[in-house]
Amino acid sequence: MPAGRRYPRALPGQGLVEYALLVAVLAVACLVALFFLGDAATRAYRDIGGALDGPVSVTAPSATPAPGVPTNPEQCKNGGWQAFGPPAGPFQNQGDCQSWANAHP
């Protein structure tokens, strides 16, 4: 402290009151931000085709592979190799398709 200058002492409980006031102000600010940001997020979600009303359906992943993947070499015969796309295809010919199906059972 500089010589001759005296700082006022804090009153008992003053630090706790200031802390509680700071927490209350932050809580109100968060609620206001949540109100405005939540509304903007809801509008953006609806703008991209999302629906917030109604039941949500959840389906389990199917046991069948993706349509772009041959599961056995027989699927590549009779022009079937042309039907496969990513991640396995597109294939150049039936042999490429059958080779891939044999290597990835």
Side-chain angles (χ1 to χ4, degrees):
M1 260 195 315
R5 184 161 182 177
R6 295 185 50 94
Y7 292 98
R9 295 184 118 181
L11 299 174
Q14 183 178 356
L16 182 61
V17 170
E18 289 174 353
Y19 179 74
L21 183 62
L22 178 65
V23 169
V25 167
L26 287 175
V28 169
C30 288
L31 288 174
V32 169
L34 182 64
F35 175 76
F36 287 110
L37 293 177
D39 187 47
T42 300
R43 277 187 270 115
Y45 183 72
R46 287 194 175 126
D47 287 345
I48 60 171
L52 296 177
D53 301 330
V56 176
S57 63
V58 178
T59 58
S62 64
T64 59
V69 179
T71 56
N72 63 52
E74 294 298 315
Q75 293 174 321
C76 300
K77 293 184 178 178
N78 299 323
W81 60 274
Q82 296 171 335
F84 296 108
F91 297 107
Q92 298 296 320
N93 54 44
Q94 179 177 323
D96 286 347
C97 179
Q98 289 175 325
S99 295
W100 194 92
N102 285 328
H104 301 89

